[in-house]
């Protein structure tokens, strides 16, 4: 096939390779630990769903559904019927679909989390990709403000465990649908009165999704949206009480926040509390985590009505912020590197290595090029490069005596000791890293 054009990955979709992948694994481990501490349990849903899950769940006039979704028609079955499928652009709709489909709330509320790739056809740039990864936490079946606060505190605990500091929390309340309707009428009237100042996007949204106009990034419209009627002024007693209760819990927990009346979130399904964790250190892609309450979504996709609240964070952005802040993670290194001078020793050596691994030792074995095992010198060079603290030498002398040489490569480099080949449990512990 010489002369064929090199095949590359799809634009905006990245390979995650060592050593960077170690940071991903570390982050995922921290997430699993923090989720367990808060009693959130893992859910894995398919990467594709019926397109209508998103058109119904996210709203027809959201950025995602209007222009970002990878949606296509499947091949027809024998009756000529074809499903409309979409790669998931976010995780909440699929999780809620699964919760409703399997009636998970029959015995009370559930606390759940997910992690995985999401797909949006956006213009790739720093912090914005076409395949990106989200981690999300969702609490379903709980209507009280304490769960909104719990989720925010869960995110704060996660930042603490990751060592992430450069963020701030923005909060808003979107109230309930009737309150939003009243505000919407006032907002549309206000925007109509300033129709000449609206950009093309805003004119298009004026009747379909005027709330989103408040979220505009167009500098020319900032003054206009600053002066727009604020949803917070339209909240009724119950909504205000809910919002106040969330804030009281955050205050007692020592978490500070800003009220951002223009925080409306990109999706239609939110009500009451909405929040974002933002940073100034990642340029325009400054939102690392966003979420809120979505009490009407389950019903909207055909499930039994139940309240819900959740958030999703962008893994790429969180990792990039950690990098900006100089948070370092350890590279995984093997405890030992097995040097095998002659291929004849492989069966015995590899049997020993399997036993060591079963005893909890991380071992990297030297592998040859196919033309034998390579010189001792080159094997030792590899051993050094691996970062292992010990070399295991399976030489002919050693094997003849039923032994293996354990040689220190770092602390006390050079020191070596013969050990019985058949009893790795007697000496495996000296190989394990003490760090
Ligand atoms: P933005 O305003 O930056 O487009 P969004 O409101 O579309 O964000 P959400 O749908 O709330 O984002 O997704 C939650 C998080 O997922 C975001 O806060 C962000 O960290 C991350 N995220 C969203 N879209 C992308 C993307 N295309 N590439 C990388 N991360 C993303
Ligand atoms: Mg977006």
């Amino acid at each position: 096939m010489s002369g064929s054009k090199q095949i590359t990955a799809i634009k905006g979709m990245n390979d995650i390779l060592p050593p960077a992948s170690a940071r991903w694994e570390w982050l995922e481990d921290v997430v699993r630990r923090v989720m367990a501490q808060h009693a959130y349990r893992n859910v894995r849903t398919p990467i594709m769903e019926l397109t209508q899950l998103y058109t119904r769940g996210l709203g027809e006039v959201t950025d995602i559904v209007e222009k970002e979704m990878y949606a296509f028609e499947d091949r027809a079955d024998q009756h000529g019927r074809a499903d409309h499928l979409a790669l998931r652009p976010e995780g909440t709709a699929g999780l809620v679909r699964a919760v409703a489909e399997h009636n998970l709330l029959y015995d009370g509320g559930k606390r759940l989390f997910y992690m995985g790739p999401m797909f949006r056809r956006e213009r790739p740039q720093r912090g914005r990709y076409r395949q990106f990864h989200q981690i999300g936490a969702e609490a379903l079946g709980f209507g009280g403000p304490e769960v909104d606060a719990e989720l925010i505190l869960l995110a704060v605990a996660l930042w603490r465990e990751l060592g992430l500091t450069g963020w701030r929390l923005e909060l808003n309340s979107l109230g309930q649908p009737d309150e939003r309707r009243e505000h919407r009428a006032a907002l549309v009237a206000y925007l109509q009165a300033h129709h000449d100042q609206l950009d093309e996007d805003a004119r298009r949204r004026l009747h379909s999704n005027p709330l989103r106009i408040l979220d505009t990034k167009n500098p020319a419209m900032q003054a206009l949206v600053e002066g727009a009627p604020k949803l917070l002024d339209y909240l009724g007693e119950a909504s205000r009480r809910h919002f106040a209760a969330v804030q009281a819990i955050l205050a007692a927990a020592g978490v500070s926040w800003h009220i951002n009346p223009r925080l409306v979130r990109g999706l239609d399904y939110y009500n009451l509390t909405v929040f974002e964790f933002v940073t100034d250190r990642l340029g325009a892609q400054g939102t690392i985590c966003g979420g809120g309450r979505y009490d009407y979504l389950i019903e909207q996709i055909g499930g039994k009505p139940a309240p819900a609240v959740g958030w999703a964070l962008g893994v790429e952005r969180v990792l990039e912020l950690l990098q900006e802040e100089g948070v370092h993670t350890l590279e995984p290194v093997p405890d030992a590197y097995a040097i095998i001078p002659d291929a004849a020793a492989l069966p015995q050596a590899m049997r020993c290595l399997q036993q060591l691994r079963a005893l909890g030792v991380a071992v990297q074995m030297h592998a040859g090029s196919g033309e034998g095992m390579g010189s001792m010198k080159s094997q030792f060079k590899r051993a050094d490069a691996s970062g292992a603290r010990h070399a295991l030498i399976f030489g002919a002398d050693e094997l003849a005596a039923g032994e293996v040489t354990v040689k220190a490569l770092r602390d006390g480099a050079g020191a070596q000791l013969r050990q019985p080949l058949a009893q790795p449990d007697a000496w495996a512990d000296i190989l394990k890293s003490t760090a």
Side-chain angles (χ1 to χ4, degrees):
M1 297 296 281
S2 68
S4 299
K5 190 162 176 278
Q6 173 91 45
I7 296 173
T8 60
I10 298 167
K11 190 171 109 183
M13 304 201 178
N14 301 309
D15 300 309
I16 300 157
L17 308 170
S21 55
R23 289 173 75 78
W24 284 73
E25 290 188 294
W26 163 76
L27 181 138
E28 289 160 4
D29 286 347
V30 172
V31 167
R32 276 188 268 270
R33 193 174 72 233
V34 172
M35 292 295 176
Q37 285 164 353
H38 291 76
Y40 281 65
R41 297 173 69 183
N42 187 231
V43 166
R44 299 164 194 230
T45 62
I47 279 171
M48 275 199 257
E49 298 275 358
L50 295 174
T51 305
Q52 58 166 335
L53 174 66
Y54 303 112
T55 48
R56 268 210 263 160
L58 309 186
E60 298 272 4
V61 292
T62 55
D63 281 351
I64 293 179
V65 170
E66 275 185 337
K67 52 189 193 214
E68 296 174 357
M69 206 151 53
Y70 284 98
F72 60 95
E73 201 173 311
D74 199 5
R75 284 188 205 205
D77 64 15
Q78 73 262 36
H79 309 291
R81 280 189 295 259
D83 290 327
H84 292 268
L85 305 178
L87 290 177
R88 63 183 188 191
E90 57 95 59
T92 301
L95 180 138
V96 164
R97 193 249 334 121
V99 164
E101 185 171 340
H102 303 287
N103 196 22
L104 287 194
L105 301 183
Y106 81 98
D107 63 346
K110 292 285 174 294
R111 292 172 162 91
L112 305 169
F113 79 96
Y114 60 84
M115 5 194 186
M118 307 295 161
F119 304 85
R120 298 182 192 178
R121 189 186 279 106
E122 301 197 67
R123 191 168 69 78
Q125 54 197 292
R126 180 189 190 195
R128 193 175 290 289
Y129 310 100
R130 291 185 163 183
Q131 173 171 328
F132 64 101
H133 296 75
Q134 285 186 341
I135 293 172
E138 319 272 2
L140 300 104
F142 306 104
E146 66 276 13
V147 185
D148 308 26
E150 175 181 273
L151 272 155
I152 293 171
L153 295 177
L154 167 56
V156 171
L158 184 57
W159 310 143
R160 188 186 60 231
E161 293 300 305
L162 291 170
L164 196 68
T165 54
W167 52 267
R168 60 175 195 279
L169 171 61
E170 301 202 332
L171 272 189
N172 193 18
S173 175
L174 300 182
Q176 297 291 11
D178 53 334
E179 295 156 1
R180 252 154 94 168
R181 257 194 302 280
E182 218 183 305
H183 167 259
R184 182 187 159 121
L187 179 63
V188 171
Y190 170 84
L191 294 170
Q192 257 163 347
H194 301 84
H195 198 266
D196 52 320
Q197 295 174 48
L198 299 181
D199 64 14
E200 194 191 324
D201 212 37
R203 284 180 193 178
R204 196 169 45 83
R205 285 192 162 133
L206 185 55
H207 295 286
S208 63
N209 198 350
L211 204 54
R212 281 304 303 282
I213 298 175
L214 299 180
D215 198 21
T216 178
K217 280 154 189 142
N218 182 354
M221 289 198 8
Q222 295 309 309
L224 181 66
V225 295
E226 288 293 345
K230 294 185 171 41
L231 229 175
L232 282 177
D233 297 331
Y234 288 77
L235 299 191
E237 171 60 21
S239 293
R240 279 206 304 271
R241 222 179 318 119
H242 187 106
F243 198 35
V246 174
Q247 294 175 67
I249 296 168
L250 295 181
V255 173
S256 48
W257 67 90
H258 303 267
I259 302 276
N260 177 358
R262 292 175 44 195
L263 177 63
V264 297
R265 308 277 307 131
L267 308 177
D268 269 2
Y269 54 54
Y270 290 107
N271 67 304
L272 291 174
T273 321
V274 289
F275 54 89
E276 284 187 353
F277 290 89
V278 297
T279 177
D280 298 323
R281 300 190 192 172
L282 294 180
Q285 273 57 251
T287 304
I288 56 170
C289 176
R293 188 161 271 289
Y294 53 94
D295 293 334
Y296 306 99
L297 176 62
I298 302 188
E299 197 177 352
Q300 208 158 310
I301 65 163
K304 232 173 44 213
V309 50
W311 53 249
L313 66 80
V315 178
E316 284 83 355
R317 293 188 195 175
V318 169
L319 284 171
E320 218 182 308
L321 184 55
L322 283 163
Q323 191 100 26
E324 286 287 318
E325 296 187 355
V327 175
H328 292 293
T329 49
L330 291 177
E331 279 284 313
V333 293
D335 296 318
Y337 189 98
I339 287 175
I340 303 164
D342 192 300
L346 280 168
Q348 271 181 289
M350 288 180 75
R351 176 189 149 93
C352 177
L353 299 187
Q354 284 308 89
Q355 290 169 334
L356 286 170
R357 288 167 180 144
L359 291 163
V361 182
V363 191
Q364 182 172 338
M365 180 185 75
H366 186 80
S369 59
E371 312 281 324
M373 299 301 289
S375 71
M376 285 292 268
K377 187 163 168 240
S378 69
Q379 293 202 32
F380 267 108
K381 237 165 104 179
R382 294 275 176 182
D384 264 330
S386 77
R389 290 188 18 263
H390 290 93
L392 305 174
I393 306 163
F394 295 89
D397 281 0
E398 282 92 344
L399 294 197
E403 292 175 337
V404 55
T405 296
V406 178
K407 181 172 179 178
L409 297 176
R410 320 238 148 218
D411 316 329
Q416 57 181 64
L417 209 63
R418 293 265 191 120
Q419 299 289 357
L421 188 63
Q423 281 104 45
D425 48 329
W427 48 275
D429 279 348
I430 63 172
L431 300 176
K432 290 191 203 165
S433 58
T434 47

